[in-house]
Amino acid sequence: MSEFDVIVIGAGPAGSSAAIKLAQGGMNVLLVERGDPPGTKNVSGAVLWGDELSRVVPDWERSAPIERFVTRKEVAFLTERSKIAISYSSQDLMEKKSGKIIVRGKFDQWLARKAKDAGAMLVTGITVDKLVMDDGKVIGVMQDGDVVTSDAVIVAEGANPRVLINSGLRPKLSDHDVALGIKETIKLPENVINERFNVDSKGGYASEFVLGFLEDGLLSGGFLYTNKDTVSLGIVASLDRLRANGMTHSYDIMGKFEEHPFIKNLIKDGIPDEYAAHLVPEGGLASMPELYGNGYLVAGDAAMFTFSNGMVLQGINYAITSGLLAAETILENKTKINKETLSSYVTKLRNSYVLSDLYTFNGIQNVTWSDFTQKTMPKILDSVMMSMFDERGMPKKHLMQVLTAAVKSNGMRYTDLISSGYRMMRKM
Amino acid sequence: MLNIVVMIKQVPDSSEVEIDPVKMTLNRTKARNVVNAADLNALEFALRIKDKVGANITVISMGPPMADAAIIECMARGADRGILITDRAFAGADTYPTGLTLAATIAKIGNVDIIFGGDETTDSSTGHVGPGVAEFLGIDQITYAKEVDYEDGYVIATRDLEDGDETVKVHTPVLITVLLNSNIPRHQSLRKKIDAIRKGVESWGINELGLKPDWVGLRGSPTIVRSMKAIKEPEHLHKTVPIDQIDTIIADLVSKNIIKVGGK
Amino acid sequence: MKIEEKLSLLNYKTDRSYAHITIDPDICAGCPDHFCVFACPANCYTLINGKLNFKYEDCVECGTCDIACSHGSVKWTLPKGDNGVIYKYG
C-alpha cells in the first residue's frame, strides 16, 4: 500500500489548486515545495485572469492577497522614439474584477496555506529529485535516495521541469520551448502610482509592450503592472534571437527597456527592490511533454500551459484550471489509477479552455515572435502617426497615401503587408 | 544512549529585517522566519555525535505557536523529538527568565548529557542565554566552540578565543554554545520531514514546567529598555595612494597618534 | 543601475557544501560562442582574459544556461533543500 494517495510536486498555482481539490475529495495528499515558504522560488508578472479558484475556494478574492484589479489595460509598441498604444480603461473591467494583479511571493504562500487548511500535508524547503517507477508505473518520488510512495503523482514543478527531465519523461528544453523572463520590482508610494497611472487605490494598470526598438535581430516583449506600492517591470526575450545575436547580454535588454524614455518616466524616483529571472513557456503544443502516463499527470507551466497572443499574456489561470482538472481525473479514478484511466485528463483539458486555446492558437508564436510584428509593423505605424500628427504647413494626404509611403520607406511591398497582416489577424 | 538537547530560536531572516525609521525598532513583519543560523551549526554538531555513538536528540525552543515550524525543520535534519515552550506568561522575557525557563525544560526532560545552543541569535545578539541555562542547571559550559567531538563521556571542543584557539575536554553533563559557521549544516530530508510532521511538536507551558508567573516573561525580566537609537555608520574616507608612498603615510599617521605600531 | 547592483538586491541562502551547477573547463576552453555569458541573466558566467569563469552563488535558478550551452559543458541541478535564491516578490 502507498503512503499517500497523491503526491503533488510544486506548491504554485497548479499544485496548490490540485492539492486543495484532492484534499477536499478526502484524499491523503502530500504537497512538496522547494521554496520555504512557497512563492520564494517563483517569478511571474503577475496578473491572474478569471475566477477558476472559486471552484475550490469560494469567495477567494476576499481572503487572497490581491494588489489591485485591472482597470486600465494597454498594449503598446515601443520604437526608439515613440510609443503607439491601444489603451482600454473600463469601469466594467473593475466591476467584473476580471484581472487580479498579484505578487506571487504573497499569493503562493496564501494558496499553499489553503491546501494545508484543506488537509493536505505541506512540506516546504525540499527539492524532489525524480519520480520513482516500478514496472512502468510511477509509484512515488525520490529525494536524496529516499522513496516516498503514492498511488499517483501530479507534476506541477513549473517552467524548468527538472523532475520530468530527470525521470526521462521529457527532453531538455530548447530555445524554442521557452523564453527568458527578467523582472524588477520597484517601490513607489501608493499615491504616486495612483496619480502616475491614473488609477484609484483598488484599480490597476497592466500593460504589455512590443519592444520594437531593439536592434540586431533581438525580439522581446515587455510588461508593466502596478501593485499596491510597487511596480512590476519586466521583459520576455526570445532565446534563439539572443543566441543568433551573440553579443548582447540578456540583462542589457532589461536595462534598455527600463531606460526607454517612456518607461523611465513611469518608474521615476522608484527604488528597485528586487531583480528576478525565470523561464517562460512559449512553445505551445510543440513543446508539450506527455501530459499523463501510468501513475502521473503534468499540470501548469511544467505542461507548458501558457497563452500569449500579443494582446494578453496568461498562465496562472491555465495552471489553476489544469491543476483542478488533474485532481478531478484522479478523484474520478481513485480505485484504478493507470495510463488508460488517466487519459481522461486530456479529454478534460480539451473540453476546457486550456487545451482548446492552445489548439486554436497553435503556431501563434510564429506571429508574436516575428520581425513583422515586432519590428516592421511598429515602424510603419510610427511613420503613419508621425505623418498624420506632424503639421508642416504642407497639403495633407489621404491615409492610404501616407500608409503607402510608410510601407515603402520600410522596404516592404503592399502585398507583403496585406499577407502578413492577414496572417496575424487570423492567428490572433 | 546519550541524551542531547539542542536549544534553538526562530528569528526573522536578518537580511530581510528593516528598521522602522520612526519607532527605531526592528520591523520583523515582512521578514521570513528562519532557524537562527548558529543554532543550526549547534544542531549539526549534535547530529555528528549521534552519527558517531548514537544519541537521542531533543530540540527545544521558547516562542510563539508558529515557531513549531523551526522545530520541524530541525527534526527534518535529524533530531528525534521537538518541544515548543509556549505560554502567554513567557511573553516579553529578557535573557534571564529565558535561561530559567529553558533550564526548567531541560530539568524536566531529565538525564540530559549534552546541551547545545548557538553562540548568539541574530535578532538580539546577547549571548546570555546559553551560559544562563548552564548556571541555572549548575553544570559546566563550553562557550565559543568551533569544533566539537565526543568520546567516552567527555566532550572535546575547540574554543575560538581572541588570542588563539583553546581545546578543552569536559565530562558530561555539559552545555556548549557553538559559533556561527563552524560547520555546514546538513540538508533537510523529505522522509524525515514527513515523519516529523506526523510525530508533531510537543507543547509545554508554565504549568508543565512548574514555574511561577512572577519568575518568567516580562515580570521576571530585570532588563528595562529606556530608549532605542539608530546608530549612524561613521563616514569612511577612501583614498587610493601609490604603493611606494605607503610607508610615508603610515609614519605620518603614527606621528599624529592616529594609529599605533607594534607591541600589545 | 548595473547588473551587479541589481543582483545585490537579492537574498540567497548559499549552500557552501554543494554547487548545484558545474561546468567542464576543458569544454569551455574550446567553446566558439560562450553564449552562456550572454544568456545568463544573473551574470554568473564571465570571460576574464578569454577564460570562462563561473560562480553559482549568484544563480537565480532560471535554467537558461542549461539551454544556452549547446556543447555539453553545463551540468545543471536544482540547489538542495531550501538553499539558493529567496524571492520576496517573485
Side-chain angles (χ1 to χ4, degrees), chain B residues 74-92:
Chain B
C74 294
M75 292 166 81
R77 291 177 200 268
D80 303 283
R81 181 187 181 192
I83 302 168
L84 179 66
I85 309 138
T86 189
D87 201 306
R88 275 171 190 270
F90 299 145

Side-chain angles (χ1 to χ4, degrees), chain A residues 336-353:
Chain A
K336 199 168 182 287
I337 303 248
N338 56 46
K339 188 163 184 177
E340 210 181 322
T341 54
L342 293 187
S343 70
S344 61
Y345 176 48
V346 176
T347 317
K348 287 175 189 295
L349 289 165
R350 274 191 186 254
N351 291 337
S352 81
Y353 67 99

Side-chain angles (χ1 to χ4, degrees), chain A residues 126-396:
Chain A
I126 302 278
T127 306
V128 167
D129 300 322
K130 59 179 183 178
L131 304 182
V132 182
M133 318 261 196
D134 181 35
D135 201 15
K137 185 181 188 305
V138 171
I139 56 154
V141 302
M142 185 178 277
Q143 186 267 335
D144 211 9
D146 292 333
V147 176
V148 180
T149 58
S150 64
D151 292 342
V153 176
I154 294 178
V155 183
E157 56 177 330
N160 185 6
R162 308 317 297 198
V163 168
L164 288 179
I165 294 171
N166 292 346
S167 310
L169 295 174
R170 80 150 294 142
K172 267 181 69 173
L173 298 176
S174 79
D175 290 4
H176 299 280
D177 296 324
V178 286
L180 170 59
I182 300 180
K183 180 187 161 181
E184 282 170 38
T185 307
I186 300 159
K187 276 186 180 172
L188 275 176
E190 190 177 341
N191 61 322
V192 172
I193 290 178
N194 295 352
E195 280 173 31
R196 199 173 286 180
F197 295 92
N198 193 19
V199 290
D200 64 27
S201 283
K202 279 191 173 168
Y205 168 81
S207 184
E208 267 89 48
F209 299 87
V210 172
L211 308 188
F213 64 89
L214 293 174
E215 306 281 348
D216 307 318
L218 295 167
L219 294 184
S220 177
F223 61 85
L224 193 163
Y225 306 132
T226 55
N227 304 316
K228 194 169 164 53
D229 52 10
T230 54
V231 162
S232 299
L233 184 75
I235 60 150
V236 179
S238 149
L239 280 174
D240 61 332
R241 289 304 186 98
L242 191 68
R243 188 190 294 276
N245 169 287
M247 54 183 221
T248 304
H249 290 280
S250 57
Y251 50 78
D252 284 336
I253 300 179
M254 181 68 207
K256 282 180 185 174
F257 179 46
E258 66 191 335
E259 285 297 317
H260 190 283
F262 292 103
I263 299 299
K264 208 175 172 176
N265 263 337
L266 291 175
I267 55 169
K268 198 173 143 249
D269 299 329
I271 301 164
D273 205 20
E274 188 169 273
Y275 176 82
H278 209 267
L279 296 176
V280 184
E282 281 287 340
L285 293 175
S287 300
M288 245 176 228
E290 291 288 343
L291 298 174
Y292 69 97
N294 196 355
Y296 79 98
L297 298 166
V298 188
D301 272 7
M304 301 279 140
F305 292 153
T306 60
F307 177 76
S308 146
N309 68 351
M311 300 290 281
V312 288
L313 262 175
Q314 299 187 353
I316 307 170
N317 49 341
Y318 288 79
I320 291 170
T321 304
S322 61
L324 292 176
L325 294 177
E328 234 172 63
T329 307
I330 291 171
L331 284 169
E332 285 167 12
N333 299 290
K334 54 185 164 189
T335 52
K336 199 168 182 287
I337 303 248
N338 56 46
K339 188 163 184 177
E340 210 181 322
T341 54
L342 293 187
S343 70
S344 61
Y345 176 48
V346 176
T347 317
K348 287 175 189 295
L349 289 165
R350 274 191 186 254
N351 291 337
S352 81
Y353 67 99
V354 177
L355 263 189
S356 54
D357 285 358
L358 280 159
Y359 276 99
T360 309
F361 294 91
N362 189 22
I364 181 86
Q365 320 61 276
N366 302 330
V367 174
T368 50
W369 293 103
S370 70
D371 284 307
F372 174 74
T373 311
Q374 294 222 352
K375 298 192 185 299
T376 315
M377 201 167 67
K379 276 186 192 158
I380 292 172
L381 286 170
D382 184 35
S383 314
V384 170
M385 297 291 168
M386 193 61 198
S387 317
M388 291 208 309
F389 300 130
D390 181 38
E391 181 57 59
R392 291 276 149 205
M394 299 283 280
K396 293 182 177 52

